[in-house]
Amino acid sequence: MPKVSVIIPIYNVKNYVKKSIESAINQTEKDIEIVLVDDGSSDGSGKICDQYAKMDDRIKVIHKENGGLSSARNIGTASAVGQYVMFLDGDDYLKENAIERVLQVMEEYPSDFIQFMYQEVKEGDIPVIQTKFNKQYQVHTSKELFENLYKLGGVGASGATKLIKRELALQIPFENILHEDEMWCTRAFQKALNATYISDELYCYVMRNDSIIHSSFNRKKLDKFKVCETRIEVLNRLGYERLLSLEYNRLFGNILTLYREAKQANDSVALQEIKKEFINSQKNILTKANLTRKNKVIFKLMSINYQFIKLYYLYWKMKGF
């Protein structure tokens, strides 16, 4: 049985997938399984997967109808046989020593998951070699897990920056929404898990201009509200008041950001959904959030008359953000 199953969901990334697969093949740790999940690609990515499977018997290929990233990850996890799983997006790649390093940490600090860092790279760039490492540390409680989630931000929420016990990944599958990683953390961190955090940049996150996250507005971005609402319910139930305040801050920030993007896209349906979210959460933001001075002013104006949100939009345009 291999120690680690590297699960690579692949959907129409023909120009990137070879580098992604080869970064798994060329790991210094060889006792691995590589699960390529072709999520209904139409650009030839699936054929590339089959070609690599013929060259390396550690590779398993699954072809399925398109169902999204979460579906591909879940199917890959269900078919994997490794004790641990790592998720690698088909347009990103791993540092050569990534798996060797996380297994070394896992042996020293037995954990439900190991959290590591990523490095953002532009298409075609060579990643910078990291030469300095800070201390690693371990946490054991639900509260500590959520605190680290807010402290680390995006890298802490990412499903791709973790070595996870396969049984944990099976217990908590990914939901089919745009911000599936944040939702996974929200659901998983309700448990008192053992987690080890290291500062090693082991994952290379390729900044593609045409990715969903970095593309122009689409309504799937409103999934952020579902994540916030679920997080608020969990933090409220667990009694983590300070973290609850941070989440209401984040919710209000999402309302402003999504309004700006929907306004630019002239999406009237999305604008109505954003307005409804503000109205429904207005009282709790007022009583529980600790907003910045600027956001306090914006919030007060919106509370008097929601149409004042247009002043925020005009301010944003004038600043040229």
Side-chain angles (χ1 to χ4, degrees):
M1 178 185 294
K3 295 176 184 175
V4 177
S5 296
V6 182
I7 298 167
I8 311 180
I10 293 162
Y11 177 68
N12 288 350
V13 284
K14 183 178 180 180
N15 295 332
Y16 307 90
V17 71
K18 289 183 179 180
K19 187 168 186 176
S20 182
I21 295 171
E22 288 175 7
S23 77
I25 290 173
N26 295 326
Q27 286 294 301
T28 54
E29 171 60 59
K30 301 303 180 185
D31 186 16
I32 65 173
E33 172 190 41
I34 303 168
V35 183
L36 307 179
V37 185
D38 169 30
D39 190 32
S41 296
S42 58
D43 69 342
S45 294
K47 291 181 180 178
I48 294 173
C49 294
D50 292 333
Q51 290 168 2
Y52 275 101
K54 291 176 182 177
M55 296 186 286
D56 193 319
D57 60 9
R58 297 175 300 169
I59 295 177
K60 175 194 299 182
V61 181
I62 300 170
H63 297 284
K64 60 181 286 294
E65 292 184 4
N66 179 249
L69 178 64
S70 293
S71 170
R73 282 178 173 176
N74 293 339
I75 286 176
T77 301
S79 67
V81 296
Q83 184 178 358
Y84 308 102
V85 295
M86 285 178 68
F87 299 106
L88 171 61
D89 290 349
D91 50 357
D92 297 331
Y93 56 96
L94 295 171
K95 299 282 184 72
E96 191 176 35
N97 69 327
I99 297 176
E100 180 182 9
R101 172 61 177 147
V102 291
L103 284 176
Q104 178 188 46
V105 175
M106 183 66 80
E107 185 175 350
E108 188 176 357
Y109 299 95
S111 306
D112 292 296
F113 70 87
I114 306 291
Q115 171 71 57
F116 49 90
M117 307 298 284
Y118 65 65
Q119 183 181 134
E120 293 183 353
V121 293
K122 294 181 180 178
E123 293 182 33
D125 280 2
I126 298 173
V128 177
I129 297 173
Q130 184 185 13
T131 57
K132 188 176 181 181
F133 302 98
N134 297 321
K135 65 179 181 180
Q136 53 203 33
Y137 60 95
Q138 194 169 49
V139 304
H140 309 282
T141 68
S142 174
K143 187 175 183 181
E144 290 174 308
L145 289 167
F146 278 112
E147 285 174 343
N148 277 286
L149 186 56
Y150 286 99
K151 186 166 96 176
L152 293 175
V155 67
S158 174
T161 56
K162 295 173 177 64
L163 176 74
I164 307 172
K165 278 187 176 178
R166 178 172 170 265
E167 51 194 68
L168 175 61
L170 287 171
Q171 288 170 9
I172 305 176
F174 289 89
E175 290 189 31
N176 189 26
I177 60 174
L178 179 59
H179 296 273
E180 62 282 309
D181 289 2
E182 288 195 53
M183 184 65 88
W184 187 88
C185 290
T186 299
R187 295 174 63 211
F189 292 2
Q190 298 178 61
K191 299 185 175 187
L193 303 174
N194 291 321
T196 302
Y197 294 77
I198 61 175
S199 62
D200 304 54
E201 295 173 345
L202 302 177
Y203 189 99
C204 292
Y205 176 32
V206 179
M207 306 297 287
R208 286 174 54 197
N209 294 328
D210 60 343
S211 70
I212 294 178
I213 294 294
H214 297 101
S215 63
S216 57
F217 181 80
N218 70 74
R219 287 179 200 163
K220 284 188 71 65
K221 289 190 175 184
L222 299 182
D223 286 348
K224 282 186 178 181
F225 292 144
K226 182 178 179 182
V227 175
C228 285
E229 288 163 6
T230 303
R231 182 86 56 83
I232 285 167
E233 186 275 322
V234 169
L235 295 175
N236 192 51
R237 175 162 43 81
L238 294 173
Y240 300 156
E241 291 297 327
R242 187 182 69 83
L243 298 177
L244 191 60
S245 175
L246 293 176
E247 189 57 30
Y248 275 113
N249 281 3
R250 196 169 76 108
L251 173 59
F252 186 61
N254 283 333
I255 288 170
L256 296 180
T257 299
L258 291 170
Y259 175 87
R260 185 189 73 216
E261 293 180 3
K263 185 72 173 175
Q264 282 184 298
N266 198 28
D267 189 329
S268 59
V269 173
L271 288 170
Q272 283 300 311
E273 287 298 311
I274 295 163
K275 180 179 180 180
K276 186 197 301 185
E277 185 68 32
F278 174 75
I279 292 170
N280 290 341
S281 59
Q282 181 178 349
K283 182 178 178 180
N284 284 322
I285 292 173
L286 174 65
T287 57
K288 297 182 179 179
N290 184 20
L291 301 174
T292 64
R293 184 177 298 179
K294 184 184 78 173
N295 279 356
K296 275 184 181 177
V297 172
I298 297 169
F299 176 81
K300 285 180 180 179
L301 289 172
M302 289 169 61
S303 298
I304 295 168
N305 187 327
Y306 180 77
Q307 295 305 314
F308 278 120
I309 194 173
K310 292 178 182 178
L311 294 177
Y312 160 77
Y313 179 70
L314 292 173
Y315 171 79
W316 176 85
K317 287 188 71 175
M318 286 171 56
K319 286 288 186 181
F321 294 144

